[in-house]
Amino acid sequence: MARTNSAASNANGSNTSSQISRFGVLSKTEFQSPDVRFILPARRIRKGQRNDVILVCENALFVKEILDNRRLSHVAEETNFDSRILAASVLTLDRQTNENTSKGSGDPNSPSSSSIQPDQVLVMSFVSPPRISFLAFAKCSEKAHRCRMSTEALPSLPRGENILDDLGQLLAIDPYSRALAVASRSNRVYLLQVISNKDINSPAKDIIGRGRYITSQLTDISKMDFLYTSRKQTETVYLLLVGHRNKKCHMELISWRPGEDHDQPDSCELINLSNDHDIPMILAPLEKVPGAFLLACNRSIAIYDGCFRANVRHLFRKAVHQSAVREDKELFNVRHSQQRSTLQEACLWKSWARALRDHGDVEWIYLARQDGVVCYLTIELSLTGEEIYAKSGDAGQLGGHVDHAFAYVVSYGPDAAYDALLFSGDLCDGGLFQIGFPKTKADNEPARMDVMSLGKTDVLYNWSPIIDAAVLPTSSPMSALYPNDPSSSRSDSVAKKRIFTTSGKDPYGSITELRYGCEMSLDQNIAIDDDATPTKLWVFKVHVRREQTTHEPARQVDIVETLLVISMPTRTSILSDIYHSPQMDVLCENETLAMQELLNRQPRTMIQVKANALSILHIRKHRPNLVESSTYELPSKISHAAVDQYNGFILMSSRNRLMLKQLTAGNELHETADVPECEADITTISILSLESDSMSSGFDNARLAEPRAMHAAVGLASGVVYVFELDPKDGLVEVLKFDATQPGMDQSISIPESIDMITSSACSEWTMLCGMRDGRVHALRVHHNDQERSYHVVDTITISVGLGPVELTRIFQNPSAVIAQCGGSAVYLNYDGRNLYEPTIMPIWITNGDQRSFSPGSVGSFLQIPELQVEYPSKEHKDTGKFLFLSSEGISIGLLEEHAKPAPRQFRVPGTPTRILYSMPFKCVFVASRIVKHKGTDRFNISALYSVDIHDSAEDSPGNGNHHNKVEMSPVYVMDNGLDLLSLSDFVCREDSGKSYFVVLGARDNRRRKEKGVLHFLKVKKDEDGDFEVDPARVKKYEENHPVLTTCGYDRNILLYGSGPNLMQATISTAISRYDSLPECERRKLHTFNSDVVQISVTRPFVYISTTEHSLSVFRYGDNEFKPFTHDDTARPSLCNLPLQTANFVLFTDNHQKLAGMYHGSEPTIRSITKPVFEAKLHRPVRTLRKINSQQPWKMKQVEGIIERDIIGTATDGSLFAFSILTERLWRLLGFIQNLCKADPSICTVTKPISGQASGFEPASKGPKDFHVDGDILKRLLDVSNPYDNFKQLLSNVGRSEHTSNQANGELDRMADDRRRRLTELVNDYQDDTNKAGNEPNDATEITRRRLERTMAEDDTISKALQLVYLALESPF
């Protein structure tokens, strides 16, 4: 419908507004940039003292907590900033508390500190408009935090000649919260008084007092910070500036009394550095020596003192020679130099961190160098106060490039002697490191042999820079297995696709598969030396003994051992001491079907069900830990069993017969009333507990609380599921029956395999999940009445999670979530209410620290490690909550992070990758990389081509492994010295004698004074080992007058390429079907543009060309020639383009951070200019555009109202955007909701005043930019615990405040009714449009209608609107 009208308007020679209104675009940030600019410790940003750190990126920030197990846990994030963050720091508003804690951080685990209210806010400066903002975090749910931001505008100063003149480039806060300073990189400084006795929720105008503007004597400012003062000088603040004046490095000190109204800042020049070539890199004020500071430059490190006296003493200064590796006692001697060849000759000091732990009068400072070398420095003032003693040492190697994001935070817990060092890599992975302090002697000299090396405990992923991206197809067996299922995503016959990008720089270059989901970080693999394959796992804990810790402070701790019971087809074994030296003993010579410890039993009792017997076991502290107390023979062979841990019920099955027994508190086995036979064989049995309120708060209390009700679920081979209520008197009481089969499905695989239950916030409702053999999960929302014992199914949802039987595993600490394991992979299902009654589904990616390409093979039998079932006063169980699962490595232990985030998978390649290509003819990934070579003192770059097998495991692939090691790979082809590879593509030449496959390279020739270009044709073949190779004699080269920037095949024997501003055509004219033949081609110029051609895309008969200055041009092939067809109406610095499957529709991006869409007709128009139908303003320029298909089977492939989806755009800094093309009705609905969100400060940190009238929220349609819907704003509407109530309040409360009068409330009520009425109209218009489209066969229409029919809530309009928002924002990952 939309395309027909558009074509008509183009045929008339112009684009009318009616045509423009047919399309809208929805953009959403899928991955934020991983480049972290600041890491700020903020231990009191939340209630209590926690090990929180704030990761500040350019347009986003993330709050992480460092747990006792030295892992990073997600706390909160804020991504909706309308401007770039220039600088950031943490401000403590309670001055007295800040002074008391400045010497030491205290113990956050003490009762007094746990009740500390948050008194820290994050201060940020923004570039446009110039302002500083104060960000405070508030808890909005049990697991979510929201920020509240208030803003203070900076003074309006005359703009300088460049961006360095803008205030906010530098930000510093007085350590005693008396003042803050913002400065430009030139010489502008603005001092502000801080009123620190305010609450964190106070507006910025109440926190900020008077300000003073000064002009520095320096011509440019490199570093700025406040100095520590003694307690006698609390009224005066001292701001130190380090920069240049007259091309020499100078320092300037500014003193100010912010408490005095008429006091003006005083400025005095301190000293100029003796070396004219010194560049300030690090400025670190010393806390234990007031008035002193450390200054690290590119050539020297010095400590200065005497800033508050007339004479300035230069106490400690020693040059650091970094041009060569020294093995003497030179300061900060570098022993970790294996990666230095790829950096500049002098590795600069990049960042520093102060230890937060109290060391008395000794100051600890860590310095990080550009190549990852970390050194420590201890500084102490002599007893007379006249001398400063400084000692230094080597702390280790971080294994990555370091920029400015580097922090030191205390990690408290059982091993309090260890601390945490956190850094973000510069174009490589960062990480969290465990480090121990060196022991000191009587003279405070560090003992180097006692310093522990840095140990990496967690990873901060970094997949930037993304220079190129490729889409890799994978096979999709869904349609072959389920051909008669039109309503499911399995009917998609198109192969799924994954996106790979280039990442990193030498020596940490790689290609990265971008994945998103819940990460399970692997802790340990336990190898099983046995031919038998484990079938099931059970785990329990034993309190062994109490010990006293060896580190300070000494205390008594309980030693708890985790034991693992492994069932195999021929026997059952018990594995002890799994974390140190695993030892396996045989428990019995039979397979175990079920095993469960009974709660609140003394002695600790466990029930074991085998095929022919039932055993009662007792748990002991010493070995053997399981001792058989009694055994009961069973009358028939058992196939399935389940045990109730609360009441001792044992439910077993033999073919189609059920047996129910109960073990009483006196360990007597009673058989309950007879159970009737089922109509089919039993396939699964589960015991379900309807949890009480105390149990839903977490698994720590679950062992002592009693459930509201106990149920048993039984699945039959006929597809029927029965639910029974377990009653001590009546036995099994049938309460529910459900038929899990569906029409059109193969009945032989529609069989229940596992059943579980999750609870909801409503006491009268719960959800039963039934995992089927065909890879589906049926979710039944059940309403029950305890008094009447009535149960009925309210709603049923079917979710496709994969192929094969589905096994469900409960998550103890989250009663609304389960893990569904299917087909060798696992997914996370969470009924958190964000999608009404449907679950949030995320894939689970298993990672292994640095080796993110680790592949555990098929995983299964997930089991969570529980808490110890017996109370002890000081339990310290590090593994509680971790998961055990079976993998190709044996038995693996991992920690699941329930917060969804990027979990990239990397394959290492030599050098710095610049281009990536997936070649369909060769079924291989080719990567072009730039490698640094050294010949004597000369350094030059060489471009090489590599092939990477992404299907290899971590052990087999040469591109995997530890990031500290150099990657050794043989190149497929190496270009001549002086040639830079700029483009990479494959080309299939078809002729009568057959096909010939080429890899085509475009290059720049730097060997001449004027840049030239070279076009390469490579004939690639596989050798005997399966590796690709190129015979240099089978390479054909063609010289061009300009660099070859892009290549693209058109048809048969026609190749198009861009040589500078020229669009060129190469026609292959020689028979080249044999490998030993070389291509001969006729080259000719088609068109010359006014700027260079950067990308060519083909959708026959159209060719789309992006140029560096003149946007998008369209050519059409006809009559054996290419002719200009149309072009954009605006000259843009274009970057890339992507033709869509929708005919004659193309997306293109420019360097002004815009994405535009153009629709053109099939026939030429009177005017050759075509206006874009929409424009989207992003916060990053998109360098590549790719179309992928949804990777996951539960994703909807089609949604009515979305013309195109799963369009991915990548930015150089690692940001990923997803785009969808919308019809007019859906665009108007989403635009209306977006404008509502913009008026809510809890959703948008920077709100825009909008009239409360419904018309004020209508999306405009004046120009292309109005047809853009920002999905990041809509996402925040869903990112709460209850989106329905949140949206309902949003419709009602726009414009209201606590000071609104009753008369004004009446008018606001009327406008709220108008907004609800307009929302209803928009939803109805969308449904009417969907129903009209439904007259034609359309799977998307039927699927969308089904989803909307499930939105059963109090207000049907709100629930349907939220469902459409959720469908529109569904991630392609």
Side-chain angles (χ1 to χ4, degrees), residues 486-507:
S487 64
S488 173
S489 61
R490 301 170 187 239
S491 62
D492 181 22
S493 60
V494 182
K496 301 177 186 179
K497 298 180 180 180
R498 298 176 292 169
I499 186 165
F500 280 73
T501 67
T502 58
S503 303
K505 66 178 180 180
D506 194 8

Side-chain angles (χ1 to χ4, degrees), residues 579-652:
Y579 296 109
H580 300 93
S581 55
Q583 179 181 347
M584 185 175 291
D585 301 313
V586 177
L587 181 62
C588 64
E589 296 296 337
N590 303 96
E591 181 182 10
T592 300
L593 303 178
M595 201 168 192
Q596 180 65 57
E597 180 182 358
L598 302 183
L599 298 183
N600 305 324
R601 299 286 180 106
Q602 290 297 334
R604 294 177 63 189
T605 303
M606 183 172 288
I607 296 179
Q608 179 189 20
V609 182
K610 295 168 282 189
N612 55 1
L614 187 150
S615 299
I616 310 300
L617 309 175
H618 291 317
I619 302 177
R620 305 190 307 175
K621 292 183 179 182
H622 53 277
R623 296 177 184 174
N625 300 102
L626 289 180
V627 178
E628 188 174 294
S629 173
S630 56
T631 300
Y632 301 90
E633 297 293 331
L634 299 176
S636 57
K637 185 176 181 180
I638 301 301
S639 57
H640 299 87
V643 180
D644 168 24
Q645 62 179 336
Y646 296 98
N647 302 310
F649 283 110
I650 308 165
L651 184 61
M652 299 168 286

Side-chain angles (χ1 to χ4, degrees), residues 863-876:
L863 175 68
Q864 194 171 17
I865 300 177
E867 182 67 276
L868 182 63
Q869 305 294 346
V870 181
E871 284 275 13
Y872 283 95
S874 58
K875 298 187 302 296
E876 292 182 356

Side-chain angles (χ1 to χ4, degrees), residues 1312-1330:
D1313 293 338
D1314 290 340
R1315 292 192 293 269
R1316 294 191 196 94
R1317 189 181 307 109
R1318 181 53 183 160
L1319 180 66
T1320 303
E1321 293 174 356
L1322 292 172
V1323 171
N1324 292 337
D1325 289 345
Y1326 169 82
Q1327 288 187 297
D1328 292 342
D1329 198 28
T1330 302

